[in-house]
Amino acid sequence: QLQLQESGPGLVKPSETLSLTCTVSGGSISSSSYYWGWLRQPPGKGLEWIGTIYYRGSTYYNPSLKSRVTISVDTSKNQFSLKLSSVTAADTAVYYCARRGILPSPFDPWGQGTLVTVSS
Amino acid sequence: QSVLTQPPSASGTPGQRVTISCSGSSSNIGSNTVNWYQQFPGTAPKLLIYSNNQRPSGVPDRFSGSKSGTSASLAISGLQSEDEADYYCAAWDDSLNGWVFGGGTKLTVL
């Protein structure tokens, strides 16, 4: 059974870079059948797609975040990572990693999520 | 402001049928399939409906989805107290070149 687990600092200072890692277990991140994505949810608000990566490294980013986002993959560790630069309080959210199929497929499953607070 | 529009709340009594709407445009719902997610407080979203009307294994057939033009709907029949959750619609947007979500609907079982 595929499982995803987010990890990283829970507190980031304004203007710094948020860095999170998603560890995939129970399956290979190098599968040609899937993409791997990051999404977030500010407290009490709705979901927002951040970006998606294929195991070969091709990426797709939310245009509203594109200038600040980098998603990378480490197939040797079965992990993929998110970096979001120049963070502000508006970036405070629960960050989720998730898998989706190659075809226009939904995100499923999701990791449990990790809360990142931006505050000095 | 979410790209897809959902009512912020919905309610029903046990046993009733409730529908939640999701309105979009020609670049998202009008040209791509719709997915629905269920989220309980403090937990990650769970896929409920994909490709407009398909249920993943394990999802009760009380949950159904439909799409017409630039709108989609989630229907829950035989409402149960454990259905009380937030529900989100999602679709790919060809103009934004990304995934877009509705703002979510909080379902209350009275």
Side-chain angles (χ1 to χ4, degrees), chain B residues 6-96:
Chain B
Q6 296 179 237
S9 63
S11 63
T13 56
Q16 266 192 330
R17 182 176 187 270
V18 171
T19 61
I20 296 172
S21 62
C22 176
S23 177
S25 67
S26 58
S27 63
N28 42 65
I29 294 178
S31 50
N32 296 294
T33 60
V34 178
N35 307 310
W36 290 90
Y37 298 90
Q38 178 188 56
Q39 185 180 34
F40 296 105
T43 69
K46 169 196 164 187
L47 181 65
L48 194 64
I49 297 287
Y50 68 97
S51 296
N52 302 328
N53 55 18
Q54 302 299 301
R55 284 186 308 276
S57 173
V59 174
D61 60 7
R62 302 187 296 105
F63 294 90
S64 62
S66 63
K67 187 184 101 167
S68 178
T70 59
S71 293
S73 290
L74 171 70
I76 309 171
S77 60
L79 196 63
Q80 299 180 5
S81 58
E82 54 260 40
D83 299 332
E84 194 162 282
D86 294 326
Y87 294 85
Y88 293 90
C89 59
W92 178 263
D93 191 296
D94 293 331
S95 295
L96 297 175

Side-chain angles (χ1 to χ4, degrees), chain A residues 39 41 49 63 96 105-107 111, chain B residues 37 39 43-44 47 88 96 98-99:
Chain A
L39 305 96
Q41 184 173 35
W49 171 71
Y96 296 99
S105 302
F107 288 101
Chain B
Y37 298 90
Q39 185 180 34
T43 69
L47 181 65
Y88 293 90
L96 297 175
W99 289 92

Side-chain angles (χ1 to χ4, degrees), chain A residues 11-84:
Chain A
L11 180 65
V12 180
K13 289 182 169 55
S15 80
E16 295 190 343
T17 296
L18 177 159
S19 296
L20 294 174
T21 296
C22 181
T23 301
V24 178
S25 59
S28 174
I29 202 169
S30 300
S31 169
S32 59
S33 300
Y34 300 106
Y35 285 98
W36 307 89
W38 286 99
L39 305 96
R40 69 180 183 178
Q41 184 173 35
K45 296 187 179 180
L47 298 162
E48 181 180 36
W49 171 71
I50 300 172
T52 304
I53 191 166
Y54 191 54
Y55 78 98
R56 290 182 176 174
S58 52
T59 53
Y60 309 87
Y61 297 140
N62 185 324
S64 68
L65 298 170
K66 187 174 183 176
S67 63
R68 299 193 292 130
V69 173
T70 302
I71 296 177
S72 59
V73 63
D74 186 336
T75 55
S76 67
K77 294 182 179 179
N78 227 31
Q79 295 175 334
F80 63 106
S81 299
L82 167 70
K83 290 189 185 300
L84 181 64

